[in-house]
Structure formats: structure tokens, C-alpha cells
């Protein structure tokens, strides 16, 4: 992956032009000295940066999904870790994902069509598909077919999760056809440095991820999608150098995790994760966690303690997330080579392909270790651990547990995969507020009940109560 400096021209990014309902007001607000057409590179950079910040940031990652999945735990202000959350707790993913992600990318698609640049369109469709996937994975039924088109749909309908996934697979197939390395150049791509060949691989990798979301419900459809990708012959992300990620710079363009730790000290690594890595003698432990200052031991915090009980453990006697993740330049990771290998291993285990599931599983673990610079000798020792050997009779356990480790820091994706694969088998928060249950989804933002009530009520009627414990369509077991 080519690392590119992030150019933050926020005024250019955010002024997409919120249209008025009255023509007279439209005409009054026209600036004769400014372009009425946003520049495509600014729209692209804006959509990537705003979505990556939200995906890797506080509300949807550090204060929710990372706690639900027990990668992190709260050492102060533990309500979120106890699942005490409201319909204002998850607004960022929704509001920013749609207003600064989907809206920008819809506009970019229109410009790409007008300027006959299919590569901008292809990249926009890939990114938009990723955003929609985040939305439906988290909430379930969400606006998709009418989303981001305020001129025609003030109150967009919520599409069923199944329909969203199928729509995204079609969008990604369209993107794959549009993307042409020999076609017109693009600018503003701070993920792949404007490499269209890399976007084609990312598009296929995202298709594979979504195909497996369908696998427990509609295995034949999932198999057909994966077969189509293989027949096309373009391939997937095939090395850590091709990981889809936004590499941050220093302040003010630093990683959101780094920004939070500059002023706050609320999070620690979960005891669940520390204990698992310690038991496996996993060489990623010193990367995922710092030693506690006072004891120089790796000490995780149990999830969901009462505030007083968490405080009694001591800030200096518990392990912060590793320095790697707190660096200003740490990447917001969207998709890795390791994830793709795990997905290919699962597809093989399900009989969707003729690849060797056990070999791909081992390659996936190796790719995750190499992602963090683990030495080849330590990798060999780790892979020789009998507890890591692939179990063909319970592939979900083998893949699920190692994938959970490999996705450390990627709260939203780890949350989706844990619900789908049902491994690792996590215990609810110590003082959890869900009667011994774990969260299974995000609650819709409260604004939807007041601004889009009919669509909201239709979604609840179709999907079930708007609660943390309501299982989504893809979550079968």
C-alpha cells in the first residue's frame, strides 16, 4: 500500500451544498466567486477521512464495539462496558456515515458519470459499499436504496438486511467492471495512493466478506458469489502491503485513538484478551498491550465492572492498549490480508471452494503476525502450538477464535464476525445490565424516531424491538 499525506481542506470537504427547498433561497445563496461543482478528489478524501475517523473513533469503537467484543475494557466511567447505553450512544456511525460518507460518495458518482471517469465511480461504489456494510452490520435494517438522495427522499425507507447485502454485492460487481487500471487517473485516494489495481482487489475482498454474511442463511447464494469472484480471476488482497487502511500523520491528523489518550485514560485491554494471549504464548501480546506501570505485568481488566470496582484495580496496575495503537500515525485498518485468508479458509471449510482450509487458516495467522513485525522464528513456534491446530470438525471455533485475535482494534468488524461465527464464547459483563446477555446490535439513533418515524417503525416491525439484545438477520445461532 502506498502511504499518502492526508490533505485536510475541510472547507472543501464539507461544503457539499445543502440544498434549500425554495428556488429563491437557492439563488440567493449562490456564491459568484466559488465553484458550484465540488472537486472529486476532495469528495473522495473527505469520505475516506470522515468515515475512517468514525469507524476507528470513540462512539462506535472505543466506547462500544471494542467493549462488546472484549478487546478493550473500561477502567473509568464503566456504564458503556456494562451495556448501559441509550439511543444517543450510537449516533456517530449513522449520522457521519450517511451525511459525510454516503452523501459525498453519491455526489462523486454523479461527477464521475458527468466527466466520464469510471474509476472515480468504481472507487466511490467500493467505499460506499463498505459504509453501508458497517451500517447494516451494526443496526440491521437501514436506509440503502433511498439513502443520501435528499432531493427525492426526505424520509428514506429502511431496506431489510438481506436486501442491503444483495444490493451491495451488485454494487461491488458494478464497481469491479468500472475499475480499469488503464483508464482515467484519479486523485485524493489516501488509502491506495490512486492505485486502481489495488481497489479491484479490495472490491473483491469486500465481496467475499459480504458473501460470508449470507452463508448461514443462504449458502448456495454465498457459494455462487464466491465462485463468480474466482471465475473473474482478479483475486483478493494478497499481501500485507495491500491492506486497506488509512495511515494517519501527526496532529491535527492523528489517529483518533491517539487523540483520546492525549487527554483521557479510561480504557484498558480486556482481561479476556490478555488471558487468551497469555495462555497461547501469543507474540502479539506485547503489541496489543503495555505492561502495567506499577507491576510490569500484563494485566487485563474484566469487562463491565462497577465504577468503584474498576477504579480499585488501579490505573498503574492494569495494561493500556499497546503503544502501537496509541501512536498518532497508527492506521485505521479497514481490511487486512489476514482477514481475507480467514475468509477463504471458511469458504473452503464450507465446501464453497476447493482450496485447503487448514493451509489458509495457518497462512491467515502468519499474515496477522507479520502485520505486526513478528519474527519468523516466533511465528514458527506459535504455529507449532497444539492449541492452534485447525479443527475441521469445528471450523467456526478454530477460525473464529484466531480471527477475533487478529481483528484486535477493529471493533465493528470483530463484533460482526463474533456474532456470525459464535466464537470465542464470551461471558457477559460482570455487572452487565442485560440480564446475563451480550449485545447483539446497535440501537437506532433517537433522531430517527422523530425525523423518520414511519420508516423507523416499519424497520422495528420487521426486525424486532429496537434493543441491544435483538438478533439481526445474519446472526443465525
Amino acid at each position: 500500500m502506498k502511504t499518502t499525506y492526508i490533505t485536510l481542506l475541510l472547507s472543501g470537504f464539507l461544503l457539499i451544498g445543502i440544498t434549500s427547498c425554495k428556488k429563491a433561497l437557492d439563488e440567493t445563496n449562490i456564491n459568484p466567486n466559488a465553484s458550484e461543482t465540488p472537486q472529486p478528489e476532495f469528495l473522495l478524501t473527505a469520505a475516506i477521512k470522515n468515515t475512517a475517523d468514525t469507524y476507528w473513533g470513540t462512539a462506535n469503537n472505543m466506547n462500544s464495539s471494542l467493549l462488546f467484543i472484549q478487546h478493550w475494557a473500561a477502567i473509568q466511567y464503566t456504564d458503556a462496558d456494562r451495556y448501559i447505553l441509550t439511543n444517543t450512544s450510537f449516533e456517530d456511525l449513522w449520522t457521519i456515515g450517511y451525511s459525510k460518507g454516503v452523501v459525498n460518495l453519491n455526489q462523486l458518482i454523479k461527477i464521475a458519470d458527468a466527466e466520464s471517469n469510471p474509476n472515480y465511480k468504481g472507487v466511490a461504489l467500493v467505499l460506499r459499499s463498505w459504509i453501508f456494510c458497517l451500517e447494516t452490520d451494526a443496526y440491521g435494517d437501514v436506509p440503502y436504496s433511498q439513502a443520501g438522495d435528499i432531493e427525492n427522499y426526505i424520509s428514506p425507507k429502511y431496506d431489510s438486511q438481506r436486501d442491503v447485502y444483495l444490493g451491495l454485492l451488485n454494487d461491488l460487481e458494478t464497481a469491479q467492471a468500472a475499475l480499469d487500471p488503464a483508464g482515467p487517473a484519479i486523485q485524493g485516494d489516501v488509502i491506495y495512493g490512486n492505485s486502481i489495481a489495488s481497489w479491484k482487489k479490495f472490491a473483491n475482498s469486500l465481496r467475499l466478506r459480504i458473501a460470508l454474511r449470507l452463508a448461514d442463511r443462504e449458502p448456495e447464494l454465498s457459494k455462487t458469489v464466491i465462485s463468480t469472484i474466482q471465475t473473474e480471476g482478479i483475486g483478493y488482497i494478497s499481501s500485507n502491503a495491500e491492506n486497506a487502511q488509512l495511515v494517519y500523520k501527526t496532529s491535527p491528523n492523528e489517529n483518533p485513538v491517539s487523540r483520546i489518550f492525549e487527554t483521557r485514560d479510561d480504557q484498558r485491554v480486556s482481561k479476556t484478551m490478555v488471558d487468551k494471549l497469555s495462555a497461547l504464548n501469543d507474540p502479539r501480546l506485547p503489541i496489543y498491550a503495555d505492561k502495567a506501570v506499577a507491576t510490569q505485568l500484563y494485566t487485563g481488566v474484566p469487562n463491565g465492572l462497577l465504577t468503584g470496582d474498576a477504579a480499585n484495580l488501579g490505573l498503574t496496575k492494569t495494561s493500556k492498549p499497546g503503544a502501537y495503537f496509541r501512536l498518532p500515525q497508527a492506521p485505521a485498518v479497514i481490511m487486512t490480508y489476514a482477514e481475507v485468508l480467514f475468509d477463504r479458509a471458511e469458504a473452503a471449510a464450507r465446501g464453497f471452494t476447493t482450496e485447503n482450509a487448514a493451509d489458509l487458516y495457518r497462512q491467515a495467522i502468519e499474515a496477522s503476525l507479520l502485520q505486526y513485525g513478528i519474527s519468523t522464528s516466533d511465528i514458527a513456534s506459535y504455529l507449532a502450538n497444539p492449541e492452534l491446530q485447525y479443527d475441521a470438525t469445528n471450523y467456526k471455533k478454530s477460525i473464529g477464535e484466531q480471527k477475533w485475535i487478529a481483528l484486535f482494534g477493529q471493533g465493528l468488524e470483530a463484533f460482526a464476525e463474533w456474532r456470525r461465527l459464535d466464537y470465542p464464547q464470551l461471558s457477559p459483563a460482570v455487572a452487565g445490565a442485560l440480564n446475563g446477555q451480550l449485545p447483539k446490535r446497535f440501537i437506532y439513533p433517537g433522531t430517527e424516531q422523530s425525523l423518520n418515524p414511519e420508516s423507523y417503525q416499519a424497520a422495528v416491525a420487521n426486525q424486532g424491538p429496537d434493543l441491544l439484545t435483538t438478533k439481526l438477520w445474519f446472526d443465525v445461532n
Side-chain angles (χ1 to χ4, degrees), residues 251-262:
S251 180
N253 301 325
E254 76 273 36
N255 186 295
V257 174
S258 176
R259 188 181 307 124
I260 289 295
F261 273 93
E262 287 174 1

Side-chain angles (χ1 to χ4, degrees), residues 1 6 48-49 52-53 190-191 244-248 330-334:
M1 188 198 77
I6 302 170
I48 294 171
K49 177 64 166 57
D53 282 357
V190 290
I191 293 178
Q245 59 186 20
L246 173 62
V247 179
Y248 286 93
V333 179
I334 298 169

Side-chain angles (χ1 to χ4, degrees), residues 74-95:
I75 190 71
Q76 302 185 86
Y77 312 109
T78 63
D79 278 3
D81 207 6
R82 297 176 56 211
Y83 321 138
I84 301 174
L85 297 152
T86 70
N87 58 19
T88 63
S89 300
F90 306 106
E91 288 181 345
D92 280 5
L93 181 63
W94 187 282
T95 57

Side-chain angles (χ1 to χ4, degrees), residues 10-38:
L10 289 178
S11 60
F13 293 166
L14 304 180
L15 294 179
I16 301 170
I18 301 174
T19 59
S20 168
C21 296
K22 296 182 179 179
K23 182 178 179 182
L25 186 57
D26 282 346
E27 293 172 349
T28 301
N29 285 335
I30 292 175
N31 180 353
N33 298 315
S35 171
E36 290 296 302
T37 303

